[in-house]
Amino acid sequence: MQPVVPLGGGALEAAVPGAVVGAGPGISAPPPVGPEDLVSRTVHGDSLLRRIGRGALRPFVPADDVQALAEHGRWIQHPVTTGRRIAVTSMRGGAGKSTVAALVASAYARYRQDRVLALDLDPELGSLPLRLGIRAGHTLADVVAAEPGTCSFDEVEPYLAHLGERLWGLPGTHGTPGDGPDAEVYRTAGIPLSRFFGVTVTDCGAGILTELHRAVLEAAHAQVMVAPTTPGGAASVGRALDWMTANGLAGLVARTVVVFTVHSPHTAQVIDLAKAERILAEVGVGVVRLGYDRHVAVGSTLDPALLAYSTRVTAIAIAAEALRRAAGG
């Protein structure tokens, strides 16, 4: 499967959108097997029936929907004078944090005219490199040697994975759990590196309590907090925001977008999202729901051409709202 390229699909355009197995003497070792090699077939996010139905109804899209997409497009393309840093967090693993980070970074890269960086800071083999199709390479710790605070982009570019015309990526580890960056590496290299990019989307490890999390959140212009659409997921969001308020990060609360993710087509909506939105709006937090997508659920590298239409539209909405908050709008 090819590495992901920035989101396309017409939503915005219409409106303005392993280890090598050991071998004995004389026996050749088989080539490494990556996660994407285990995918037996590609799956489109939408069923064939839904794709046909959407095509038939496209001429009748409500004016309000077109206007909303146009507004999202305006914010995604919003000019910035200094690089904006958007932290993507979750209180627990498996919430869909890396997927959301990949979708949002790709949306920025597709519609902005400046560079975009997808930065993985998960010390425990995060999924962002897999979602974006980044092969093992340099990490943020390696970038320290380039002195990104004073060097040129040409000097730092060899450390980065170029994923498209305007999208770059940087893994968190060399493939070994625990060898990811610490808070000092992030302050020394991560923050200075962001000056080369209009938007940097940072995929943090699960939780928000480590020193590294603290460094990322203190430097973030906005936060996208990802949680499953369950009572436990909603409760974890409330606890995280309370902790932030009590620990010197109250200013970031109002610059937070919560994304509730749905991981199964058979899971009923067991929380009242409208009520959750009203409660979170009281402290200035935005809420977006990311529905189930068959292609996303495969868990391999994302292919924009196979994403469900609703996934592409929602990714655009998340990206726009996060940048609006990051820009102080």
Side-chain angles (χ1 to χ4, degrees), residues 124-248:
E124 302 296 336
L125 297 180
S127 299
L128 185 63
L130 171 62
R131 285 310 210 180
L132 289 175
I134 302 174
R135 299 291 184 176
H138 294 290
T139 69
L140 185 60
D142 300 323
V143 176
V144 173
E147 300 182 353
T150 58
C151 73
S152 67
F153 180 72
D154 288 341
E155 291 174 294
V156 78
E157 186 177 15
Y159 292 89
L160 308 175
H162 195 184
L163 304 173
E165 184 179 355
R166 289 181 291 274
L167 180 61
W168 281 260
L170 189 61
T173 74
H174 291 103
T176 303
D179 75 344
D182 57 21
E184 184 58 30
V185 167
Y186 178 71
R187 294 188 183 101
T188 302
I191 295 175
L193 182 63
S194 69
R195 70 188 178 93
F196 297 112
F197 300 90
V199 182
T200 295
V201 178
T202 302
D203 180 10
C204 307
I208 58 172
L209 302 180
T210 70
E211 185 181 356
L212 176 57
H213 284 108
R214 181 82 187 206
V216 173
L217 293 177
E218 286 178 343
H221 297 101
Q223 174 183 215
V224 176
M225 183 176 288
V226 184
T229 309
T230 63
S236 70
V237 168
R239 288 192 292 267
L241 296 176
D242 287 344
W243 181 89
M244 290 173 60
T245 301
N247 287 272

